[in-house]
């Protein structure tokens, strides 16, 4: 059974940093591209960052480029999102996601992802 469990969220002030983790099990993590998405109240879930299966390529939404860094540790089956210089508009639930198939092209479309974590809340006060 595939499981994705996010952690590391919290309440911080603007300009602070947080590091999110996504612990995975039930599938061969090292062969899957992985993404982070976020969803604010009343808004659609949106792409944040993606990393390929080997960790050699990363992709970011324009809104987080230069502030967030996605990474992975395939030996630990864990995905990370380092978030620096947080802004109030970063407030959202953050979700890690695995696509339906291993390898394959990178995607930022919600519909291409088969497995999701329960999310971790990030709240940034001004």
């Amino acid at each position: 059974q595939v499981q994705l469990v996010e952690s590391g969220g919290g309440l911080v002030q603007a300009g602070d940093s947080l590091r999110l983790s996504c612990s995975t099990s039930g599938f061969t993590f090292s062969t899957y591209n992985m993404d982070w998405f976020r969803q604010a109240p009343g808004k659609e879930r949106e792409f944040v960052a993606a990393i390929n299966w080997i960790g050699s390529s990363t992709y970011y939404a324009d809104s987080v480029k230069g502030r967030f860094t996605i990474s992975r540790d395939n030996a630990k089956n864990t995905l990370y999102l380092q978030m620096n210089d947080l802004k109030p508009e970063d407030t959202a639930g953050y979700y890690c996601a695995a696509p339906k198939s291993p390898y394959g092209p990178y995607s930022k479309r919600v519909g291409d992802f088969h497995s999701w974590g329960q999310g971790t809340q990030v709240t940034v006060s001004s």
Side-chain angles (χ1 to χ4, degrees):
Q1 180 182 358
V2 174
Q3 286 195 318
L4 308 173
V5 180
E6 301 94 338
S7 61
L11 172 62
V12 298
Q13 293 187 331
D16 285 350
S17 298
L18 279 174
R19 188 193 196 203
L20 305 184
S21 298
C22 172
S23 297
T24 74
S25 61
F27 66 109
T28 308
F29 176 76
S30 60
T31 65
Y32 281 74
N33 300 332
M34 294 292 295
D35 281 36
W36 285 98
F37 289 83
R38 67 186 181 186
Q39 187 167 18
K43 295 189 177 182
E44 293 187 350
R45 191 163 294 189
E46 65 175 6
F47 168 77
V48 174
I51 188 167
N52 71 343
W53 58 278
I54 201 172
S56 59
S57 297
T58 57
Y59 311 88
Y60 298 94
D62 288 343
S63 58
V64 306
K65 201 171 294 183
R67 299 188 297 122
F68 289 13
T69 302
I70 187 172
S71 62
R72 65 191 298 157
D73 185 335
N74 284 347
K76 295 182 178 180
N77 295 330
T78 303
L79 178 72
Y80 302 100
L81 185 68
Q82 177 67 42
M83 306 186 295
N84 297 331
D85 189 23
L86 283 160
K87 305 176 185 298
E89 51 264 41
D90 295 319
T91 295
Y94 283 73
Y95 301 85
C96 59
K100 298 173 184 176
S101 302
Y103 307 113
Y106 124 86
S107 173
K108 58 181 181 180
R109 300 195 313 167
V110 171
D112 287 338
F113 290 83
H114 183 258
S115 299
W116 296 84
Q118 83 291 346
T120 186
Q121 179 67 31
V122 172
T123 302
V124 184
S125 64
S126 57

